[in-house]
Amino acid sequence: PQGRIIEVTAQGDVTRDAVHAFYDWTLPQLGWRRRQAGAWLREKELLLFDIRDGKKGVVIQFSLTPR
């Protein structure tokens, strides 16, 4: 009731390192603080992402939930 729940999956021909570098640079500019690898906090929200190998590059699954 106090937040939103969102799940999104993306796939692309990039490396895991490129994905991590992009989000490590971008998310702090949007107010997110790193909690641990693949986990970010902003106010009362938790953003998680999981990176795995897919048929055409990497697959990234994002999950945004209330903290």
Side-chain angles (χ1 to χ4, degrees):
Q2 296 294 322
R4 51 195 161 171
I5 299 174
I6 300 169
E7 290 189 14
V8 175
T9 302
Q11 182 173 330
D13 187 16
V14 295
T15 65
R16 290 172 182 249
D17 289 341
V19 171
H20 281 291
F22 174 79
Y23 287 105
D24 286 348
W25 182 78
T26 303
L27 290 175
Q29 296 180 60
L30 299 172
W32 291 94
R33 297 181 333 269
R34 179 195 284 271
R35 181 173 175 191
Q36 61 191 39
W40 294 81
L41 296 173
R42 182 174 69 179
E43 297 178 10
K44 296 183 179 181
E45 295 179 303
L46 175 62
L47 173 64
L48 301 172
F49 63 88
D50 178 53
I51 303 172
R52 61 187 184 277
D53 294 323
K55 292 180 182 179
K56 297 180 182 179
V58 297
V59 177
I60 310 156
Q61 183 172 356
F62 299 91
S63 175
L64 177 65
T65 60
R67 187 174 123 178

